[in-house]
Amino acid sequence: MSTGRRICVLVSLFLLFSFISGCGEKNQPSALRAKEQVIRYNICAEPKTLDPAKANGVPEATVMLQLFDGLTRYDANQQIQPAMAESWQISQDGLTYTFKLRDAKWSNGEPVTARDFVYSWLRALAPETASEYAYQLFYIKGAEEYNSGKGKKEDVGVKALDDKTLQVVLRAPAPQFLGLTSYMTYYPVYRKNVENNDKWFTDPKQYVCNGPFKMVSWEHNQKITLEKNPYYWDEKNVKLNRLEIYLIESLQTGFTMFRSNQLEMQNEVAVQELKSLQGSKELLIVPDASIDYYQFNLSRKPFNDARVRKALAMAIDRNQIVKYILQAGQKPAYAFVPYGMAGVEEKDYRQEGGDLFKEDIETAKKLLAEAGYPDGKGFPKVTLLYNNNENIHKVAQAVQQMWKKNLGIEVALQNVEWQVYLDRQAQQDFDITRTAWSPDYLDPMTFIDLFVSNGGNNNTGWSHPAYDRLVSEANSTGDQKTRMEAMHKAEKILMDHMPVMPIFFYTHPVLIKENIKGVITPSFGTYADFKYAYVE
């Protein structure tokens, strides 16, 4: 198809907010603050990396969305728009995509070419890169084979026909592919930097990018400062001069800074502040098609026994958690894929699939007894690992108490800072760990393909041949009915075996000053997009 093609997705998955805020010191005149066009925003975590090939977290994706453009970019109206690609054509069989690149430059003034995309995608796939997200490129012909060491780089179906023409050949039709080209693993990187400095992504002076902003400083665990990129192809529509991204983990500290006008926006709100903020124009609760869940480490006893995993999943009261602890309209999760993903004929996938398990304390006790732990007796000492966050800690405490009351088992709690948390999950160094997942693109597959055998983000150790076959079946056809049926079957297997324990489906409470406008807050992938943001 031609450049005008737009993929429409579910209403309310993207919201364009009209809100404005003061950006200078507390007592500066509003006219001066507006002239400065500066926003200070707390994402509540220090990014582990700002290398697009190696990042896998929402804080990382949020920062890089300001720094990069992929071939496409989602707009405020939930549609895919041309970004680095000014147009594209899709072959009749859905296998070949031909992207025409616009005249665009890196932040150092050099041109961005189709060869930059070829280099960057092959780098993400290279076995030595060890990208946890390499599987997002497996839709491309030969990509999985190259990543696994069974194929050659030159057989991967991505080619620069000339400086401005990128040709991509898929292994099978993939309706979600165009949306994926907006995602961070598909971003181009500046080859000279990568090849000359293996720490290029840590040094603002060496960080060359192609997005609305460029990085000028990174004060670790404090803030990242971005400035408008004068070489950005759409520079005329970027209104902010500076974006200061704060990395403060404490929600309460961030809230205090917001109240004292040291921040204009914070990604999350401490639950104890929600009641006092009700009715405030500075609190926005927006849709978020994400899930919070616990992962079990199947390589450690007793979690190698599905009866134990199912008992723990069935023994907590999710309604109590969302109603009395979180208090922001979250929904209890009795399946893995959240609401907000289109199913067959644009029906909601979750409504199609319904609940796949239920809470049942008596059955949970029975399963635990059958596994050899009647009333929790003999249950080993285990620990629940999670990242520093007041809200997550409150949920963990509630789950800990419910397991003790309902099953008679003791679970210790351990919270660590964001980078340590990600590292320990990747190394499978946990008994149980809290995780959240936001969709990378608007399709249920972004949740379902997480748990294929040896998947880059499958930290559970779980593997199931029938599950793998169903995911492969869904990824081998462009027929939506066939795809959705295969994914529903796979999700049922996942919940029957319970390597992961769903807890709740998200909403997104945001602190925002009234005079910030044009921020796009998506329900997937990132916290916010500031390309069109401005201070009024």
Side-chain angles (χ1 to χ4, degrees), residues 379-408:
F379 198 85
K381 293 181 178 179
V382 297
T383 300
L384 168 59
L385 175 74
Y386 54 96
N387 57 296
N388 286 334
N389 179 286
E390 293 96 317
N391 295 350
I392 292 167
H393 179 66
K394 290 178 185 298
V395 173
Q397 286 181 314
V399 172
Q400 178 192 48
Q401 293 167 7
M402 292 173 187
W403 281 340
K404 182 176 181 179
K405 176 183 176 182
N406 297 330
L407 298 178

Side-chain angles (χ1 to χ4, degrees), residues 282-383:
E282 293 183 337
L283 172 66
L284 292 173
I285 298 177
V286 300
D288 188 343
S290 304
I291 182 173
D292 200 279
Y293 62 101
Y294 288 175
Q295 296 186 73
F296 298 109
N297 185 345
L298 274 64
S299 69
R300 296 183 181 180
K301 293 182 178 182
F303 305 115
N304 59 337
D305 190 326
R307 294 171 297 186
V308 171
R309 304 192 299 267
K310 294 174 78 171
L312 267 61
M314 298 171 74
I316 68 169
D317 188 338
R318 290 163 178 79
N319 278 294
Q320 183 177 346
I321 289 171
V322 299
K323 184 176 181 180
Y324 297 108
I325 298 177
L326 299 172
Q327 303 178 52
Q330 295 88 349
K331 295 181 179 180
Y334 301 105
F336 194 74
V337 179
Y339 295 91
M341 299 286 109
V344 178
E345 297 178 355
E346 297 195 5
K347 294 180 180 177
D348 188 271
Y349 174 93
R350 181 71 282 126
Q351 291 178 338
E352 283 179 353
D355 295 342
L356 297 182
F357 70 98
K358 62 182 181 180
E359 293 160 4
D360 185 336
I361 294 173
E362 291 307 312
T363 300
K365 288 181 176 180
K366 182 180 178 182
L367 287 170
L368 199 64
E370 290 175 356
Y373 308 105
D375 297 320
K377 294 177 182 177
F379 198 85
K381 293 181 178 179
V382 297
T383 300

Side-chain angles (χ1 to χ4, degrees), residues 114-334:
R115 292 176 180 82
D116 292 320
F117 281 90
V118 174
Y119 169 77
S120 303
W121 294 7
L122 291 176
R123 173 178 177 263
L125 284 168
E128 60 268 23
T129 301
S131 171
E132 294 178 22
Y133 254 127
Y135 68 89
Q136 294 289 30
L137 292 152
F138 288 178
Y139 299 97
I140 300 171
K141 182 180 178 181
E144 184 172 6
E145 291 80 0
Y146 173 49
N147 178 256
S148 66
K150 298 177 182 178
K152 299 178 181 178
K153 178 167 64 174
E154 52 266 32
D155 292 333
V156 179
V158 55
K159 182 187 301 184
L161 301 184
D162 56 46
D163 281 353
K164 298 298 180 186
T165 310
L166 179 70
Q167 183 186 80
V168 185
V169 179
L170 306 186
R171 65 181 186 182
Q176 67 272 37
F177 179 72
L178 200 59
L180 266 170
T181 63
S182 71
Y183 192 63
M184 61 184 177
T185 315
Y186 282 76
Y187 289 158
V189 294
Y190 183 63
R191 183 171 187 166
K192 293 177 185 177
N193 269 7
V194 176
E195 293 182 340
N196 295 331
N197 180 5
D198 60 3
K199 299 294 183 182
W200 64 273
F201 53 88
T202 67
D203 183 359
K205 294 180 181 178
Q206 297 293 322
Y207 202 93
V208 178
C209 53
N210 71 326
F213 301 92
K214 62 179 182 178
M215 181 164 53
V216 295
S217 67
W218 186 350
E219 302 168 58
H220 290 281
N221 298 301
Q222 295 183 53
K223 72 176 179 179
I224 296 172
T225 301
L226 311 182
E227 291 182 355
K228 183 176 180 178
N229 176 7
Y231 290 108
Y232 183 51
W233 68 270
D234 199 23
E235 180 267 344
K236 66 180 183 299
N237 287 315
V238 179
K239 299 179 179 66
L240 287 183
N241 293 323
R242 189 167 77 250
L243 175 62
E244 297 180 6
I245 300 178
Y246 283 75
L247 316 173
I248 302 161
E249 288 188 340
S250 170
L251 299 183
Q252 195 59 51
T253 299
F255 179 77
T256 300
M257 292 177 67
F258 179 83
R259 282 299 203 202
S260 62
N261 294 325
Q262 297 174 71
L263 292 174
E264 282 70 59
M265 187 172 174
Q266 176 160 285
N267 169 64
E268 195 173 349
V269 185
V271 293
Q272 64 267 24
E273 304 296 347
L274 285 172
K275 186 173 291 187
S276 66
L277 287 165
Q278 293 302 314
S280 170
K281 293 181 180 179
E282 293 183 337
L283 172 66
L284 292 173
I285 298 177
V286 300
D288 188 343
S290 304
I291 182 173
D292 200 279
Y293 62 101
Y294 288 175
Q295 296 186 73
F296 298 109
N297 185 345
L298 274 64
S299 69
R300 296 183 181 180
K301 293 182 178 182
F303 305 115
N304 59 337
D305 190 326
R307 294 171 297 186
V308 171
R309 304 192 299 267
K310 294 174 78 171
L312 267 61
M314 298 171 74
I316 68 169
D317 188 338
R318 290 163 178 79
N319 278 294
Q320 183 177 346
I321 289 171
V322 299
K323 184 176 181 180
Y324 297 108
I325 298 177
L326 299 172
Q327 303 178 52
Q330 295 88 349
K331 295 181 179 180
Y334 301 105

